[in-house]
Amino acid sequence: SAVISQKPSRDICQRGTSLTIQCQVDSQVTMMFWYRQQPGQSLTLIATANQGSEATYESGFVIDKFPISRPNLTFSTLTVSNMSPEDSSIYLCSVEGLFDEQFFGPGTRLTVL
Amino acid sequence: GNSVTQMEGPVTLSEEAFLTINCTYTATGYPSLFWYVQYPGEGLQLLLKATKADDKGSNKGFEATYRKETTSFHLEKGSVQVSDSAVYFCALSNQAGTALIFGKGTTLSVSS
């Protein structure tokens, strides 16, 4: 299984600001996924990030709000832009294993005031 | 489309009780099925998986059997512990390289 780290682990931000979340994997992977988990809810996919191409966003998520970078096969960033209290969530990155399972990072707990 | 339905929570049990959390799915083809666990304040951990019909996934005393005829993947444990208190998510993958589809999660609370 892959070992995934995320930074920061948590943050409290003011509305209107932006936060960049980093995701680091201990092995090279083709695809990385970014999910959002709103308080008390299940996970919702934000986008899929392939190295060397533009991220693919799910319905309801746009690049201007959630720009993603994927500069190499072990690293990705997700930026939450122009934040509002509704963006308060846990943001998780994941990578795929050998049998379609996914391994998740510990998450970034974001509170927007 | 693909979807996962889990029993509503919260589920409250006494230590050593038997646990069942129901999960049913809708999918085309032959999905892989998973149970994830999220302990308080932590990320998601893969608990167990099954990749084809009649497979039984097991880990840490938890079991789930992939039942294609009933499109189910119910999670069971014979004797729960306080440390099992967490949120449990059932999920499926219908194609490699695509995102998992999650159920809404079931909160389990075990008291001593």
Side-chain angles (χ1 to χ4, degrees), chain B residues 72-102:
Chain B
S72 65
F73 193 53
H74 305 320
L75 183 68
E76 297 182 336
K77 186 175 185 183
S79 176
V80 294
Q81 305 300 312
V82 172
S83 57
D84 294 326
S85 298
V87 181
Y88 292 81
F89 292 94
C90 185
L92 72 82
S93 171
N94 211 11
Q95 183 179 349
T98 62
L100 296 179
I101 295 168
F102 285 89

Side-chain angles (χ1 to χ4, degrees), chain A residues 5-112:
Chain A
S5 60
Q6 286 186 233
K7 291 181 180 180
S9 59
R10 61 179 67 241
D11 208 340
I12 300 173
C13 301
Q14 296 298 318
R15 70 169 64 217
T17 63
S18 298
L19 176 72
T20 295
I21 302 167
Q22 298 178 8
C23 179
Q24 180 76 53
V25 188
D26 69 342
S27 58
Q28 295 185 337
V29 295
T30 303
M31 303 183 76
M32 297 178 75
F33 304 89
W34 285 98
Y35 291 83
R36 181 175 73 181
Q37 185 181 21
Q38 294 177 300
Q41 302 297 314
S42 188
L43 280 75
T44 302
L45 181 69
I46 297 171
T48 303
N50 282 343
Q51 196 271 333
S53 63
E54 293 287 326
T56 302
Y57 289 83
E58 296 298 299
S59 175
F61 297 96
V62 295
I63 188 171
D64 290 345
K65 175 69 174 176
F66 297 101
I68 288 171
S69 76
R70 183 79 204 275
N72 58 51
L73 290 173
T74 63
F75 187 78
S76 178
T77 66
L78 169 75
T79 298
V80 186
S81 303
N82 189 26
M83 288 184 285
S84 67
E86 293 70 35
D87 294 320
S88 297
S89 296
I90 301 172
Y91 293 86
L92 300 109
C93 65
S94 73
V95 302
E96 192 172 67
L98 293 176
F99 301 101
D100 298 349
E101 75 273 34
Q102 290 187 12
F103 299 102
F104 287 82
T108 295
R109 284 155 180 77
L110 171 62
T111 301
V112 184

Side-chain angles (χ1 to χ4, degrees), chain B residues 19-78:
Chain B
L19 169 71
T20 299
I21 300 178
N22 290 337
C23 172
T24 57
Y25 68 89
T26 301
T28 55
Y30 304 95
S32 296
L33 301 174
F34 310 94
W35 278 100
Y36 284 84
V37 58
Q38 186 176 35
Y39 297 103
E42 298 185 11
L44 269 72
Q45 299 177 24
L46 178 63
L47 181 60
L48 54 83
K49 65 188 178 191
T51 58
K52 61 183 187 297
D54 299 326
D55 269 1
K56 176 185 285 188
S58 61
N59 186 25
K60 300 181 181 180
F62 291 89
E63 294 182 340
T65 301
Y66 188 165
R67 301 287 189 198
K68 193 173 190 312
E69 63 275 14
T70 54
T71 63
S72 65
F73 193 53
H74 305 320
L75 183 68
E76 297 182 336
K77 186 175 185 183

